[in-house]
Amino acid sequence: MRVGTDGPVRTITLNRPAALNSFTAEMHALLLPALDEAAADDSVRAVLITGAGRAFCAGQDLNDPGMAGSAVDVGAVIERHYRPLALRLRTMPVPVLAAVNGVAAGAGANFALCCDLVVASRSASFIQAFSKIGLVPDCGGTWLLPRLVGRARALGLAMTGDRLAAEEAARIGLIWQCLDDAGFMDGAMALARRLAAMPSRALAETRRALDSAAGMDFADALTLEADTQRALGRAGDFAEGVAAFLAKRAPRFRDR
Ligand code: T3D
């Protein structure tokens, strides 16, 4: 795995291209601490995750002796690695962007979908590969898929395991945007920099409020909005955003 810094953007590149960046126990042991470290570093205001080579991530490495095979408790693997990873992504204090540069399969697809924004290159694709090996979607897939694209499409994708092209993924709302292959990483980095210049705390609260409201009735969601706005209204970024608007200048957000 490669971890880099581009101003306020922390970049994490899955780096096992020969095996399409599939997850091993060793990779998990690097990935979660890298996210924890980005979360703890106040200079980081956005995280961009991508893959080296022609793939984003092919999910679980089916050859990894530490994690696959009939003797392995697959549920324990999920509890040990994928659950903490998914929860970490959904509680980051800054926005997380998945730049899906190629195929994203199995837990690799849902790992991307756990991120706040997903952009994919036109040649990329998403595969819910689980059904082909006798499993159900994991890494948050059962929760995310129906919420993103509705039950009919979620079941279609999960049961068939068919490849979904990036353009179609954007059209049906599975991801944010499909970008041309040429200049893909520049486009993704430009979006990450844009997010990094925004009020991080408000963006993280936006994610939290949307995720929480999904399990609430309308009245409770309105209460959550009021509570969240009350807290954000007392924070520095709100004062800065209003002051910058009135002074017709660019804001300098600092809260996290
Ligand atoms: O413990 C547990 O298992 C629980 C956790 C489960 C979570 C999961 O993610 S389950 C789903 C696991 N992932 C898959 O089932 C996807 C398997 N891969 C594929 O279906 C295909 O590789 C792709 C559709 C992603 C890409 O196809 P293609 O034709 O572009 O590439 P390829 O030729 O199949 O793969 C290139 C190489 O990567 C190849 O190695 P080789 O022959 O050149 O030495 C292939 O074996 C390797 N590779 C691809 N995916 C994986 C992999 N090696 C290990 N694990 C993989 N998941």
Side-chain angles (χ1 to χ4, degrees):
M1 215 181 66
R2 295 197 307 261
V3 178
T5 299
D6 185 313
V9 178
R10 180 64 47 88
T11 59
I12 296 177
T13 306
L14 309 181
N15 192 25
R16 300 182 63 242
L20 306 190
N21 303 318
S22 49
F23 289 116
T24 58
E26 191 186 356
M27 203 157 114
H28 280 294
L30 297 172
L31 182 54
L32 193 60
L35 289 167
D36 285 341
E37 209 270 314
D41 184 341
D42 282 346
S43 71
V44 175
R45 298 189 61 84
V47 175
L48 182 152
I49 302 175
T50 193
R54 71 177 175 92
F56 176 74
C57 175
Q60 172 63 36
D61 185 323
L62 300 174
N63 284 316
D64 187 10
M67 293 168 72
S70 57
V72 165
D73 177 349
V74 179
V77 173
I78 302 302
E79 294 283 3
R80 189 179 318 128
H81 296 292
Y82 292 99
R83 178 186 167 86
L85 178 61
L87 288 174
R88 175 69 280 184
L89 289 167
R90 300 298 275 198
T91 53
M92 288 291 283
V94 295
V96 183
L97 173 67
V100 178
N101 52 302
V103 65
N110 296 337
F111 166 60
L113 299 181
C114 281
C115 297
D116 297 316
L117 295 187
V118 184
V119 293
S121 65
R122 207 162 295 282
S123 60
S125 56
F126 296 82
I127 306 175
Q128 293 294 322
F130 308 91
S131 59
K132 295 179 180 169
I133 56 168
L135 295 177
V136 299
D138 60 27
C139 201
T142 57
W143 194 91
L144 291 164
L145 288 169
R147 284 173 168 78
L148 290 167
V149 296
R151 186 175 187 272
R153 282 179 170 132
L155 278 175
L157 292 170
M159 286 188 169
T160 65
D162 281 353
R163 186 187 289 265
L164 183 73
E167 207 163 310
E168 182 66 358
R171 195 189 68 77
I172 67 174
L174 186 74
I175 64 169
W176 170 234
Q177 272 177 344
C178 170
L179 304 175
D180 286 338
D181 287 6
F184 172 67
M185 280 314 297
D186 289 343
M189 183 52 83
L191 179 56
R193 286 199 194 104
R194 209 178 120 200
L195 291 169
M198 297 186 70
S200 304
R201 182 172 164 195
L203 300 194
E205 286 296 321
T206 299
R207 175 211 301 129
R208 193 178 68 85
L210 258 66
D211 286 352
S212 302
M216 289 177 180
D217 65 20
F218 189 58
D220 285 348
L222 290 171
T223 303
L224 174 66
E225 288 175 8
D227 290 345
T228 308
Q229 298 295 50
R230 185 171 297 114
L232 289 175
R234 292 177 181 137
D237 279 353
F238 175 58
E240 168 62 8
V242 173
F245 174 78
L246 295 176
K248 299 187 189 301
R249 63 166 173 80
R252 286 181 298 275
F253 294 117
R254 293 198 170 82
D255 289 344
R256 207 162 171 277

